[in-house]
Amino acid sequence: EFNVPLTRCLERLHDAKWANSDILLVTDGELRPPKPEITRKLEGAKESMGLRVHGLALPANQVIGHQAQLEAKLEMRVLRSLSTNTTRRGTDEVNLHLFEGWDAFESDVFAEENAVLAAQVAAGKLAEAWREEEVARRMAESADESAKERALKSVPVNM
């Protein structure tokens, strides 16, 4: 029964240590739609909590027989629907992945992601360095202005 584990996942999202979790659905393609009540809760969690659902489909032709393969293809729409998430920009992002075999892991599958993260960290460090320089510059300007004001106040005025 698919509804029970999905309900448990949704319940755990209210626990602080699980609040930022995603849900990963793994299936051989024989996936029936969840009950409407669970679908509503899932969509609500996606909207209000930023929940992201990922789907991982095992290849139907390697998991189930040929006759059932057609039925499994028809049921992929359920997994696609569940693993569609709306981004902050309002666009739909489908997080549906097809496991095609272990050969895909011969190369470093995380190399591109690590490069992007490294670039983001470097950009963040540059922004932080610029911010620190700007704060120091403004403090120096303020100190200079204060020194000029004190100097003007200390000059006697002859009338």
Side-chain angles (χ1 to χ4, degrees):
E1 165 103 357
F2 172 65
N3 292 300
V4 173
L6 192 53
T7 300
R8 286 183 184 157
C9 289
L10 290 169
E11 289 170 354
R12 285 207 170 174
L13 292 175
H14 298 288
D15 185 344
K17 64 183 173 186
W18 293 94
N20 292 320
S21 298
D22 292 348
I23 294 178
L24 173 63
L25 304 173
V26 181
T27 179
D28 60 4
E30 293 187 23
L31 183 63
R32 304 292 177 239
K35 293 179 182 176
E37 173 188 333
I38 295 171
T39 301
R40 280 192 300 278
K41 287 181 180 179
L42 185 66
E43 292 304 318
K46 285 180 179 181
E47 290 176 21
S48 65
M49 302 172 92
L51 172 68
R52 291 179 44 166
V53 178
H54 300 265
L56 176 61
L58 303 175
N61 62 350
Q62 294 179 15
V63 178
I64 52 182
H66 182 71
Q67 174 62 30
Q69 183 178 354
L70 178 61
E71 294 173 13
K73 281 185 179 178
L74 294 175
E75 293 307 320
M76 291 303 291
R77 65 183 160 71
V78 174
L79 187 58
R80 177 176 295 282
S81 171
L82 292 171
S83 58
T84 298
N85 306 288
T86 303
T87 65
R88 290 181 179 152
R89 295 184 300 269
T91 58
D92 283 345
E93 171 185 69
V94 179
N95 293 316
L96 177 57
H97 312 280
L98 177 64
F99 178 80
E100 296 177 359
W102 293 108
D103 295 339
F105 295 101
E106 287 181 5
S107 62
D108 186 359
V109 295
F110 298 107
E112 183 179 333
E113 183 177 334
N114 287 341
V116 169
L117 289 174
Q120 290 173 339
V121 168
K125 287 180 179 177
L126 286 174
E128 181 63 20
W130 175 86
R131 188 191 70 75
E132 287 175 1
E133 288 175 10
E134 185 65 13
V135 167
R137 185 188 66 77
R138 288 184 180 186
M139 289 178 74
E141 270 182 9
S142 179
D144 286 347
E145 288 176 12
S146 295
K148 287 178 185 176
E149 286 177 17
R150 282 192 305 275
L152 287 174
K153 288 180 183 178
S154 66
V155 174
V157 179
N158 292 336
M159 295 201 158

mmCIF file of all heavy atoms in Angstrom, residues 48-94:
data_model
loop_
_atom_site.group_PDB
_atom_site.id
_atom_site.type_symbol
_atom_site.label_atom_id
_atom_site.label_comp_id
_atom_site.label_asym_id
_atom_site.label_seq_id
_atom_site.Cartn_x
_atom_site.Cartn_y
_atom_site.Cartn_z
ATOM 1 N N SER A 48 3.387 25.016 1.103
ATOM 2 C CA SER A 48 3.639 25.730 2.356
ATOM 3 C C SER A 48 5.007 25.451 2.970
ATOM 4 O O SER A 48 5.556 26.298 3.660
ATOM 5 C CB SER A 48 2.547 25.390 3.373
ATOM 6 O OG SER A 48 2.613 24.024 3.724
ATOM 7 N N MET A 49 5.560 24.246 2.739
ATOM 8 C CA MET A 49 6.811 23.879 3.392
ATOM 9 C C MET A 49 7.982 23.768 2.418
ATOM 10 O O MET A 49 9.099 23.483 2.831
ATOM 11 C CB MET A 49 6.633 22.539 4.123
ATOM 12 C CG MET A 49 5.524 22.555 5.146
ATOM 13 S SD MET A 49 5.206 20.922 5.802
ATOM 14 C CE MET A 49 6.288 20.952 7.214
ATOM 15 N N GLY A 50 7.705 23.957 1.136
ATOM 16 C CA GLY A 50 8.778 23.825 0.157
ATOM 17 C C GLY A 50 9.201 22.381 -0.074
ATOM 18 O O GLY A 50 10.323 22.127 -0.516
ATOM 19 N N LEU A 51 8.317 21.438 0.237
ATOM 20 C CA LEU A 51 8.631 20.032 0.042
ATOM 21 C C LEU A 51 8.917 19.750 -1.426
ATOM 22 O O LEU A 51 8.241 20.251 -2.308
ATOM 23 C CB LEU A 51 7.448 19.152 0.496
ATOM 24 C CG LEU A 51 7.558 17.663 0.176
ATOM 25 C CD1 LEU A 51 8.665 17.019 1.005
ATOM 26 C CD2 LEU A 51 6.236 16.963 0.416
ATOM 27 N N ARG A 52 9.952 18.951 -1.656
ATOM 28 C CA ARG A 52 10.266 18.490 -3.011
ATOM 29 C C ARG A 52 10.165 16.974 -3.017
ATOM 30 O O ARG A 52 10.657 16.315 -2.116
ATOM 31 C CB ARG A 52 11.664 18.936 -3.410
ATOM 32 C CG ARG A 52 11.743 20.443 -3.597
ATOM 33 C CD ARG A 52 13.111 20.890 -3.963
ATOM 34 N NE ARG A 52 13.652 19.980 -4.967
ATOM 35 C CZ ARG A 52 14.716 20.223 -5.703
ATOM 36 N NH1 ARG A 52 15.360 21.334 -5.529
ATOM 37 N NH2 ARG A 52 15.160 19.361 -6.578
ATOM 38 N N VAL A 53 9.512 16.467 -4.035
ATOM 39 C CA VAL A 53 9.349 15.031 -4.191
ATOM 40 C C VAL A 53 10.147 14.603 -5.410
ATOM 41 O O VAL A 53 10.062 15.221 -6.468
ATOM 42 C CB VAL A 53 7.865 14.648 -4.358
ATOM 43 C CG1 VAL A 53 7.715 13.150 -4.559
ATOM 44 C CG2 VAL A 53 7.059 15.101 -3.138
ATOM 45 N N HIS A 54 10.952 13.570 -5.241
ATOM 46 C CA HIS A 54 11.755 13.017 -6.336
ATOM 47 C C HIS A 54 11.239 11.618 -6.637
ATOM 48 O O HIS A 54 10.892 10.874 -5.726
ATOM 49 C CB HIS A 54 13.239 12.923 -5.930
ATOM 50 C CG HIS A 54 13.831 14.242 -5.587
ATOM 51 N ND1 HIS A 54 14.516 15.007 -6.487
ATOM 52 C CD2 HIS A 54 13.814 14.945 -4.424
ATOM 53 C CE1 HIS A 54 14.920 16.114 -5.901
ATOM 54 N NE2 HIS A 54 14.497 16.107 -4.652
ATOM 55 N N GLY A 55 11.211 11.277 -7.899
ATOM 56 C CA GLY A 55 10.793 9.945 -8.303
ATOM 57 C C GLY A 55 11.941 9.205 -8.953
ATOM 58 O O GLY A 55 12.682 9.778 -9.750
ATOM 59 N N LEU A 56 12.116 7.960 -8.608
ATOM 60 C CA LEU A 56 13.131 7.111 -9.218
ATOM 61 C C LEU A 56 12.431 5.880 -9.758
ATOM 62 O O LEU A 56 11.837 5.112 -9.003
ATOM 63 C CB LEU A 56 14.211 6.711 -8.205
ATOM 64 C CG LEU A 56 15.285 5.746 -8.707
ATOM 65 C CD1 LEU A 56 16.063 6.355 -9.877
ATOM 66 C CD2 LEU A 56 16.225 5.374 -7.577
ATOM 67 N N ALA A 57 12.485 5.720 -11.078
ATOM 68 C CA ALA A 57 11.825 4.579 -11.715
ATOM 69 C C ALA A 57 12.870 3.571 -12.153
ATOM 70 O O ALA A 57 13.846 3.918 -12.820
ATOM 71 C CB ALA A 57 11.021 5.060 -12.920
ATOM 72 N N LEU A 58 12.656 2.343 -11.749
ATOM 73 C CA LEU A 58 13.507 1.256 -12.223
ATOM 74 C C LEU A 58 13.012 0.873 -13.615
ATOM 75 O O LEU A 58 11.818 0.958 -13.883
ATOM 76 C CB LEU A 58 13.420 0.072 -11.266
ATOM 77 C CG LEU A 58 13.787 0.390 -9.816
ATOM 78 C CD1 LEU A 58 13.539 -0.822 -8.939
ATOM 79 C CD2 LEU A 58 15.217 0.840 -9.709
ATOM 80 N N PRO A 59 13.889 0.440 -14.504
ATOM 81 C CA PRO A 59 13.439 0.138 -15.866
ATOM 82 C C PRO A 59 12.421 -1.002 -15.868
ATOM 83 O O PRO A 59 12.699 -2.093 -15.380
ATOM 84 C CB PRO A 59 14.706 -0.256 -16.600
ATOM 85 C CG PRO A 59 15.775 -0.373 -15.584
ATOM 86 C CD PRO A 59 15.292 0.219 -14.306
ATOM 87 N N ALA A 60 11.266 -0.703 -16.420
ATOM 88 C CA ALA A 60 10.172 -1.671 -16.406
ATOM 89 C C ALA A 60 10.537 -2.963 -17.122
ATOM 90 O O ALA A 60 10.173 -4.042 -16.687
ATOM 91 C CB ALA A 60 8.927 -1.055 -17.040
ATOM 92 N N ASN A 61 11.293 -2.867 -18.211
ATOM 93 C CA ASN A 61 11.602 -4.088 -18.971
ATOM 94 C C ASN A 61 12.575 -4.999 -18.230
ATOM 95 O O ASN A 61 12.697 -6.166 -18.560
ATOM 96 C CB ASN A 61 12.129 -3.744 -20.357
ATOM 97 C CG ASN A 61 13.416 -2.945 -20.311
ATOM 98 O OD1 ASN A 61 13.820 -2.482 -19.256
ATOM 99 N ND2 ASN A 61 14.034 -2.767 -21.458
ATOM 100 N N GLN A 62 13.273 -4.497 -17.231
ATOM 101 C CA GLN A 62 14.173 -5.337 -16.457
ATOM 102 C C GLN A 62 13.528 -5.824 -15.162
ATOM 103 O O GLN A 62 14.024 -6.722 -14.523
ATOM 104 C CB GLN A 62 15.458 -4.572 -16.121
ATOM 105 C CG GLN A 62 16.280 -4.253 -17.347
ATOM 106 C CD GLN A 62 17.531 -3.463 -16.976
ATOM 107 O OE1 GLN A 62 17.909 -3.393 -15.826
ATOM 108 N NE2 GLN A 62 18.164 -2.884 -17.976
ATOM 109 N N VAL A 63 12.426 -5.178 -14.769
ATOM 110 C CA VAL A 63 11.819 -5.495 -13.492
ATOM 111 C C VAL A 63 10.572 -6.358 -13.654
ATOM 112 O O VAL A 63 10.349 -7.285 -12.898
ATOM 113 C CB VAL A 63 11.455 -4.197 -12.730
ATOM 114 C CG1 VAL A 63 10.782 -4.509 -11.420
ATOM 115 C CG2 VAL A 63 12.703 -3.375 -12.503
ATOM 116 N N ILE A 64 9.780 -6.051 -14.652
ATOM 117 C CA ILE A 64 8.519 -6.771 -14.824
ATOM 118 C C ILE A 64 8.443 -7.343 -16.231
ATOM 119 O O ILE A 64 9.199 -6.952 -17.119
ATOM 120 C CB ILE A 64 7.314 -5.847 -14.546
ATOM 121 C CG1 ILE A 64 7.414 -4.569 -15.364
ATOM 122 C CG2 ILE A 64 7.221 -5.528 -13.083
ATOM 123 C CD1 ILE A 64 6.312 -3.582 -15.133
ATOM 124 N N GLY A 65 7.531 -8.242 -16.437
ATOM 125 C CA GLY A 65 7.394 -8.902 -17.729
ATOM 126 C C GLY A 65 6.916 -7.980 -18.833
ATOM 127 O O GLY A 65 6.431 -6.876 -18.578
ATOM 128 N N HIS A 66 7.023 -8.460 -20.074
ATOM 129 C CA HIS A 66 6.700 -7.655 -21.248
ATOM 130 C C HIS A 66 5.251 -7.184 -21.251
ATOM 131 O O HIS A 66 4.974 -6.035 -21.580
ATOM 132 C CB HIS A 66 6.994 -8.450 -22.534
ATOM 133 C CG HIS A 66 6.738 -7.674 -23.763
ATOM 134 N ND1 HIS A 66 7.547 -6.635 -24.144
ATOM 135 C CD2 HIS A 66 5.750 -7.766 -24.691
ATOM 136 C CE1 HIS A 66 7.081 -6.113 -25.264
ATOM 137 N NE2 HIS A 66 5.995 -6.789 -25.620
ATOM 138 N N GLN A 67 4.304 -8.031 -20.894
ATOM 139 C CA GLN A 67 2.893 -7.661 -20.905
ATOM 140 C C GLN A 67 2.641 -6.511 -19.925
ATOM 141 O O GLN A 67 1.936 -5.572 -20.236
ATOM 142 C CB GLN A 67 2.012 -8.863 -20.539
ATOM 143 C CG GLN A 67 0.541 -8.535 -20.379
ATOM 144 C CD GLN A 67 -0.089 -8.008 -21.661
ATOM 145 O OE1 GLN A 67 0.330 -8.357 -22.754
ATOM 146 N NE2 GLN A 67 -1.074 -7.146 -21.517
ATOM 147 N N ALA A 68 3.230 -6.610 -18.759
ATOM 148 C CA ALA A 68 3.018 -5.572 -17.747
ATOM 149 C C ALA A 68 3.802 -4.303 -18.063
ATOM 150 O O ALA A 68 3.527 -3.254 -17.496
ATOM 151 C CB ALA A 68 3.411 -6.097 -16.375
ATOM 152 N N GLN A 69 4.770 -4.384 -18.977
ATOM 153 C CA GLN A 69 5.587 -3.225 -19.312
ATOM 154 C C GLN A 69 4.725 -2.089 -19.847
ATOM 155 O O GLN A 69 4.913 -0.935 -19.477
ATOM 156 C CB GLN A 69 6.656 -3.608 -20.335
ATOM 157 C CG GLN A 69 7.595 -2.485 -20.681
ATOM 158 C CD GLN A 69 8.670 -2.937 -21.656
ATOM 159 O OE1 GLN A 69 8.774 -4.104 -21.974
ATOM 160 N NE2 GLN A 69 9.458 -2.002 -22.116
ATOM 161 N N LEU A 70 3.786 -2.394 -20.691
ATOM 162 C CA LEU A 70 2.904 -1.373 -21.236
ATOM 163 C C LEU A 70 2.103 -0.716 -20.122
ATOM 164 O O LEU A 70 1.978 0.509 -20.067
ATOM 165 C CB LEU A 70 1.970 -1.984 -22.282
ATOM 166 C CG LEU A 70 0.962 -1.034 -22.913
ATOM 167 C CD1 LEU A 70 1.705 0.100 -23.638
ATOM 168 C CD2 LEU A 70 0.077 -1.777 -23.886
ATOM 169 N N GLU A 71 1.573 -1.508 -19.214
ATOM 170 C CA GLU A 71 0.822 -0.963 -18.092
ATOM 171 C C GLU A 71 1.708 -0.071 -17.230
ATOM 172 O O GLU A 71 1.285 0.983 -16.770
ATOM 173 C CB GLU A 71 0.241 -2.088 -17.244
ATOM 174 C CG GLU A 71 -0.800 -2.913 -17.956
ATOM 175 C CD GLU A 71 -1.228 -4.118 -17.140
ATOM 176 O OE1 GLU A 71 -0.899 -4.174 -15.937
ATOM 177 O OE2 GLU A 71 -1.861 -4.987 -17.719
ATOM 178 N N ALA A 72 2.956 -0.475 -17.026
ATOM 179 C CA ALA A 72 3.888 0.313 -16.216
ATOM 180 C C ALA A 72 4.150 1.659 -16.868
ATOM 181 O O ALA A 72 4.225 2.675 -16.197
ATOM 182 C CB ALA A 72 5.192 -0.447 -16.017
ATOM 183 N N LYS A 73 4.301 1.675 -18.196
ATOM 184 C CA LYS A 73 4.512 2.940 -18.898
ATOM 185 C C LYS A 73 3.334 3.875 -18.669
ATOM 186 O O LYS A 73 3.491 5.060 -18.477
ATOM 187 C CB LYS A 73 4.711 2.695 -20.389
ATOM 188 C CG LYS A 73 6.079 2.227 -20.753
ATOM 189 C CD LYS A 73 6.224 2.120 -22.255
ATOM 190 C CE LYS A 73 7.616 1.664 -22.627
ATOM 191 N NZ LYS A 73 7.763 1.518 -24.071
ATOM 192 N N LEU A 74 2.125 3.301 -18.689
ATOM 193 C CA LEU A 74 0.940 4.115 -18.463
ATOM 194 C C LEU A 74 0.920 4.688 -17.050
ATOM 195 O O LEU A 74 0.447 5.781 -16.834
ATOM 196 C CB LEU A 74 -0.319 3.287 -18.717
ATOM 197 C CG LEU A 74 -0.531 2.837 -20.151
ATOM 198 C CD1 LEU A 74 -1.742 1.919 -20.234
ATOM 199 C CD2 LEU A 74 -0.685 4.018 -21.086
ATOM 200 N N GLU A 75 1.450 3.965 -16.098
ATOM 201 C CA GLU A 75 1.432 4.415 -14.715
ATOM 202 C C GLU A 75 2.568 5.388 -14.384
ATOM 203 O O GLU A 75 2.604 5.922 -13.296
ATOM 204 C CB GLU A 75 1.457 3.219 -13.765
ATOM 205 C CG GLU A 75 0.193 2.380 -13.812
ATOM 206 C CD GLU A 75 -1.068 3.201 -13.602
ATOM 207 O OE1 GLU A 75 -1.079 4.125 -12.754
ATOM 208 O OE2 GLU A 75 -2.060 2.934 -14.288
ATOM 209 N N MET A 76 3.492 5.615 -15.305
ATOM 210 C CA MET A 76 4.567 6.582 -15.052
ATOM 211 C C MET A 76 3.996 7.986 -14.892
ATOM 212 O O MET A 76 4.602 8.836 -14.269
ATOM 213 C CB MET A 76 5.605 6.552 -16.173
ATOM 214 C CG MET A 76 6.420 5.279 -16.212
ATOM 215 S SD MET A 76 7.283 4.926 -14.670
ATOM 216 C CE MET A 76 8.481 6.218 -14.695
ATOM 217 N N ARG A 77 2.814 8.213 -15.415
ATOM 218 C CA ARG A 77 2.199 9.537 -15.267
ATOM 219 C C ARG A 77 1.936 9.843 -13.791
ATOM 220 O O ARG A 77 2.002 10.992 -13.374
ATOM 221 C CB ARG A 77 0.931 9.641 -16.095
ATOM 222 C CG ARG A 77 -0.168 8.730 -15.666
ATOM 223 C CD ARG A 77 -1.406 8.832 -16.575
ATOM 224 N NE ARG A 77 -2.235 7.673 -16.459
ATOM 225 C CZ ARG A 77 -2.974 7.388 -15.394
ATOM 226 N NH1 ARG A 77 -2.999 8.192 -14.372
ATOM 227 N NH2 ARG A 77 -3.717 6.292 -15.358
ATOM 228 N N VAL A 78 1.664 8.814 -12.991
ATOM 229 C CA VAL A 78 1.435 9.017 -11.558
ATOM 230 C C VAL A 78 2.722 9.496 -10.899
ATOM 231 O O VAL A 78 2.725 10.489 -10.177
ATOM 232 C CB VAL A 78 0.932 7.712 -10.889
ATOM 233 C CG1 VAL A 78 0.836 7.889 -9.376
ATOM 234 C CG2 VAL A 78 -0.400 7.289 -11.466
ATOM 235 N N LEU A 79 3.826 8.808 -11.173
ATOM 236 C CA LEU A 79 5.108 9.195 -10.588
ATOM 237 C C LEU A 79 5.531 10.574 -11.088
ATOM 238 O O LEU A 79 6.030 11.394 -10.328
ATOM 239 C CB LEU A 79 6.180 8.152 -10.911
ATOM 240 C CG LEU A 79 7.521 8.333 -10.219
ATOM 241 C CD1 LEU A 79 7.366 8.339 -8.699
ATOM 242 C CD2 LEU A 79 8.485 7.248 -10.651
ATOM 243 N N ARG A 80 5.308 10.853 -12.371
ATOM 244 C CA ARG A 80 5.634 12.176 -12.926
ATOM 245 C C ARG A 80 4.821 13.261 -12.222
ATOM 246 O O ARG A 80 5.347 14.309 -11.856
ATOM 247 C CB ARG A 80 5.374 12.210 -14.430
ATOM 248 C CG ARG A 80 5.633 13.573 -15.066
ATOM 249 C CD ARG A 80 5.459 13.535 -16.559
ATOM 250 N NE ARG A 80 6.433 12.684 -17.207
ATOM 251 C CZ ARG A 80 7.690 13.032 -17.441
ATOM 252 N NH1 ARG A 80 8.127 14.208 -17.071
ATOM 253 N NH2 ARG A 80 8.510 12.210 -18.044
ATOM 254 N N SER A 81 3.560 13.006 -12.016
ATOM 255 C CA SER A 81 2.700 13.984 -11.345
ATOM 256 C C SER A 81 3.158 14.233 -9.907
ATOM 257 O O SER A 81 3.246 15.383 -9.466
ATOM 258 C CB SER A 81 1.256 13.480 -11.362
ATOM 259 O OG SER A 81 0.457 14.282 -10.549
ATOM 260 N N LEU A 82 3.471 13.161 -9.191
ATOM 261 C CA LEU A 82 3.888 13.308 -7.792
ATOM 262 C C LEU A 82 5.244 13.993 -7.668
ATOM 263 O O LEU A 82 5.499 14.695 -6.691
ATOM 264 C CB LEU A 82 3.942 11.933 -7.121
ATOM 265 C CG LEU A 82 2.594 11.240 -6.924
ATOM 266 C CD1 LEU A 82 2.808 9.813 -6.448
ATOM 267 C CD2 LEU A 82 1.716 12.011 -5.961
ATOM 268 N N SER A 83 6.116 13.786 -8.647
ATOM 269 C CA SER A 83 7.474 14.343 -8.549
ATOM 270 C C SER A 83 7.617 15.650 -9.315
ATOM 271 O O SER A 83 8.719 16.076 -9.620
ATOM 272 C CB SER A 83 8.504 13.316 -9.027
ATOM 273 O OG SER A 83 8.245 12.931 -10.356
ATOM 274 N N THR A 84 6.505 16.308 -9.601
ATOM 275 C CA THR A 84 6.545 17.637 -10.195
ATOM 276 C C THR A 84 6.429 18.656 -9.073
ATOM 277 O O THR A 84 5.491 18.620 -8.281
ATOM 278 C CB THR A 84 5.399 17.823 -11.213
ATOM 279 O OG1 THR A 84 5.570 16.869 -12.262
ATOM 280 C CG2 THR A 84 5.407 19.225 -11.797
ATOM 281 N N ASN A 85 7.409 19.547 -9.013
ATOM 282 C CA ASN A 85 7.473 20.552 -7.960
ATOM 283 C C ASN A 85 7.506 21.931 -8.595
ATOM 284 O O ASN A 85 8.162 22.136 -9.613
ATOM 285 C CB ASN A 85 8.729 20.354 -7.111
ATOM 286 C CG ASN A 85 8.807 18.930 -6.571
ATOM 287 O OD1 ASN A 85 8.055 18.558 -5.700
ATOM 288 N ND2 ASN A 85 9.706 18.130 -7.117
ATOM 289 N N THR A 86 6.851 22.890 -7.981
ATOM 290 C CA THR A 86 6.880 24.266 -8.470
ATOM 291 C C THR A 86 8.053 24.982 -7.828
ATOM 292 O O THR A 86 8.209 24.956 -6.612
ATOM 293 C CB THR A 86 5.562 24.991 -8.134
ATOM 294 O OG1 THR A 86 4.479 24.242 -8.697
ATOM 295 C CG2 THR A 86 5.553 26.393 -8.710
ATOM 296 N N THR A 87 8.885 25.614 -8.660
ATOM 297 C CA THR A 87 10.053 26.323 -8.146
ATOM 298 C C THR A 87 9.638 27.681 -7.597
ATOM 299 O O THR A 87 8.491 28.108 -7.753
ATOM 300 C CB THR A 87 11.103 26.528 -9.254
ATOM 301 O OG1 THR A 87 10.543 27.395 -10.253
ATOM 302 C CG2 THR A 87 11.509 25.204 -9.889
ATOM 303 N N ARG A 88 10.574 28.378 -6.983
ATOM 304 C CA ARG A 88 10.292 29.711 -6.440
ATOM 305 C C ARG A 88 9.941 30.696 -7.546
ATOM 306 O O ARG A 88 9.274 31.686 -7.313
ATOM 307 C CB ARG A 88 11.496 30.223 -5.657
ATOM 308 C CG ARG A 88 11.706 29.473 -4.380
ATOM 309 C CD ARG A 88 12.884 30.014 -3.618
ATOM 310 N NE ARG A 88 13.033 29.258 -2.383
ATOM 311 C CZ ARG A 88 14.171 29.087 -1.774
ATOM 312 N NH1 ARG A 88 15.266 29.627 -2.245
ATOM 313 N NH2 ARG A 88 14.231 28.385 -0.673
ATOM 314 N N ARG A 89 10.417 30.417 -8.761
ATOM 315 C CA ARG A 89 10.104 31.291 -9.893
ATOM 316 C C ARG A 89 8.744 30.970 -10.497
ATOM 317 O O ARG A 89 8.329 31.595 -11.450
ATOM 318 C CB ARG A 89 11.193 31.164 -10.958
ATOM 319 C CG ARG A 89 12.552 31.665 -10.500
ATOM 320 C CD ARG A 89 13.571 31.612 -11.623
ATOM 321 N NE ARG A 89 13.782 30.276 -12.137
ATOM 322 C CZ ARG A 89 14.693 29.414 -11.701
ATOM 323 N NH1 ARG A 89 15.485 29.760 -10.724
ATOM 324 N NH2 ARG A 89 14.819 28.221 -12.230
ATOM 325 N N GLY A 90 8.063 29.953 -9.952
ATOM 326 C CA GLY A 90 6.738 29.613 -10.427
ATOM 327 C C GLY A 90 6.715 28.629 -11.581
ATOM 328 O O GLY A 90 5.665 28.379 -12.151
ATOM 329 N N THR A 91 7.866 28.082 -11.947
ATOM 330 C CA THR A 91 7.909 27.109 -13.031
ATOM 331 C C THR A 91 7.874 25.698 -12.453
ATOM 332 O O THR A 91 8.257 25.477 -11.312
ATOM 333 C CB THR A 91 9.185 27.268 -13.885
ATOM 334 O OG1 THR A 91 10.322 27.116 -13.031
ATOM 335 C CG2 THR A 91 9.238 28.634 -14.554
ATOM 336 N N ASP A 92 7.400 24.768 -13.262
ATOM 337 C CA ASP A 92 7.351 23.373 -12.819
ATOM 338 C C ASP A 92 8.680 22.694 -13.091
ATOM 339 O O ASP A 92 9.275 22.865 -14.150
ATOM 340 C CB ASP A 92 6.233 22.612 -13.540
ATOM 341 C CG ASP A 92 4.871 22.930 -12.964
ATOM 342 O OD1 ASP A 92 4.811 23.496 -11.861
ATOM 343 O OD2 ASP A 92 3.865 22.616 -13.619
ATOM 344 N N GLU A 93 9.131 21.932 -12.121
ATOM 345 C CA GLU A 93 10.370 21.163 -12.214
ATOM 346 C C GLU A 93 10.010 19.705 -11.956
ATOM 347 O O GLU A 93 9.445 19.383 -10.916
ATOM 348 C CB GLU A 93 11.352 21.677 -11.160
ATOM 349 C CG GLU A 93 12.587 20.841 -11.007
ATOM 350 C CD GLU A 93 13.449 21.337 -9.858
ATOM 351 O OE1 GLU A 93 13.019 21.200 -8.687
ATOM 352 O OE2 GLU A 93 14.534 21.847 -10.134
ATOM 353 N N VAL A 94 10.295 18.856 -12.930
ATOM 354 C CA VAL A 94 9.988 17.432 -12.778
ATOM 355 C C VAL A 94 11.249 16.728 -12.319
ATOM 356 O O VAL A 94 12.255 16.714 -13.020
ATOM 357 C CB VAL A 94 9.477 16.825 -14.101
ATOM 358 C CG1 VAL A 94 9.186 15.341 -13.928
ATOM 359 C CG2 VAL A 94 8.234 17.562 -14.580
#
